[in-house]
């Protein structure tokens, strides 16, 4: 399978290794607006003219992935690929565990050590990071970032474009709104309204964020 990767930052390193984890030959085209300052992506080609190269190579690439951590940019790039009707499957590391009854939408990345349990639903364009745990019946909206080592108990819901930092824990049945940022190591035991910055043990809303939805 031949993959096209959008982005050459730190997150795209992780994505590249997830693709390689399948153990079969993968040709990767890395598209970026500027060259990275490290040789990690050698010998994979890095192309600066993203739009032109997507047009030229779309018939040669089987699947595409937007490997960009920034939620706003990732959404924009994913929608551009959708408009071109390119194939954007979910990408699930071979060392993760995903229940057969879970659903994961297109463009979502599930990294090594992550667990997605029974009847969980994850939207499109999400990042479920290293060793994160999404328990049964959770509902994760589109373009959500779940930080490394985060733990979501059963029946948790997370709104669109929300970001949970590293090691966040969420109690059962808690609802976290859209456009939120939950700080590193926070323990969320009650509902968090839309567009909130919250952190602490237990997590408290510190301020409301600008609506960028």
């Amino acid at each position: 399978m031949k993959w096209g990767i959008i982005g050459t930052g730190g997150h795209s390193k992780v994505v590249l290794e997830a693709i390689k984890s399948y153990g079969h030959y993968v040709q990767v085209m890395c598209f970026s607006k500027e060259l990275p300052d490290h040789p990690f992506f050698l010998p994979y080609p890095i192309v600066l003219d993203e739009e032109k190269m997507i047009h030229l190579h779309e018939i040669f690439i089987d699947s595409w992935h937007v490997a960009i951590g920034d939620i706003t940019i990732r959404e924009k790039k994913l929608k551009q690929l959708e408009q071109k009707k390119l194939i954007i499957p979910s990408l699930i590391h071979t060392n993760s565990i995903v229940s057969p009854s879970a659903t994961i939408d297109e463009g979502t990345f599930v990294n090594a050590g992550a667990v997605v349990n029974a009847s969980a639903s994850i939207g499109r364009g999400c990042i479920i990071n290293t060793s994160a745990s999404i328990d049964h019946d959770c509902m994760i909206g589109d373009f959500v970032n779940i930080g490394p080592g985060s733990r979501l108990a059963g029946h948790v819901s997370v709104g669109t474009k929300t970001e949970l930092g590293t090691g966040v824990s969420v109690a059962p049945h808690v609802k976290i709104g859209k456009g939120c940022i939950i700080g590193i190591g926070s323990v969320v035991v009650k509902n968090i309204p839309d567009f909130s910055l919250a952190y602490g043990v237990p997590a408290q809303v510190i301020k409301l964020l600008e609506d960028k939805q």
Side-chain angles (χ1 to χ4, degrees):
M1 180 178 291
K2 299 177 181 178
W3 286 80
I5 295 179
I6 307 296
T8 53
H11 179 59
S12 54
K13 293 182 182 181
V14 179
V15 167
L16 177 55
E17 293 197 346
I19 291 173
K20 292 163 65 177
S21 77
Y22 284 91
H24 54 70
Y25 176 75
V26 180
Q27 176 180 341
V28 180
M29 303 292 295
C30 298
F31 298 86
S32 180
K33 290 299 183 184
E34 57 185 42
L35 290 172
D37 58 2
H38 50 74
F40 182 86
F41 294 99
L42 297 176
Y44 305 108
I46 297 173
V47 182
L48 297 183
D49 192 341
E50 178 182 306
E51 290 300 320
K52 179 180 179 180
M53 295 309 295
I54 287 177
H55 174 71
L56 291 176
H57 287 278
E58 58 189 3
I59 61 173
F60 304 112
I61 301 296
D62 301 307
S63 301
W64 297 79
H65 190 82
V66 181
I68 297 174
D70 183 281
I71 290 173
T72 300
I73 299 175
R74 185 167 73 250
E75 178 187 27
K76 177 182 177 181
K77 298 296 185 184
L78 186 63
K79 288 182 175 179
Q80 288 173 348
L81 297 181
E82 290 173 339
Q83 289 171 357
K84 296 177 184 295
K85 302 188 184 302
L86 301 179
I87 298 174
I88 320 165
S90 58
L91 177 56
I92 300 171
H93 198 290
T94 55
N95 289 332
S96 63
I97 299 173
V98 176
S99 167
S101 63
T103 59
I104 299 177
D105 284 350
E106 68 175 12
T108 283
F109 176 64
V110 180
N111 200 17
V115 177
V116 181
N117 262 316
S119 299
S121 175
I122 299 177
R124 76 191 209 282
C126 296
I127 296 174
I128 310 301
N129 233 313
T130 312
S131 298
S133 176
I134 312 295
D135 222 305
H136 65 88
D137 299 293
C138 285
M139 301 289 291
I140 310 298
D142 295 340
F143 304 106
V144 168
N145 287 358
I146 305 293
S150 290
R151 298 287 185 264
L152 279 61
H155 292 280
V156 166
S157 67
V158 180
T160 300
K161 299 185 189 177
T162 281
E163 184 166 3
L164 274 60
T166 301
V168 170
S169 298
V170 186
H173 298 280
V174 165
K175 296 181 179 180
I176 300 175
K178 61 185 178 180
C180 294
I181 298 174
I182 309 299
I184 292 173
S186 296
V187 177
V188 186
V189 297
K190 62 181 181 181
N191 294 348
I192 303 293
D194 295 345
F195 310 113
S196 294
L197 170 63
Y199 63 85
V201 182
Q204 302 291 331
V205 175
I206 306 303
K207 68 175 182 179
L208 295 180
L209 302 169
E210 180 181 354
D211 180 351
K212 295 182 179 181
Q213 302 287 316

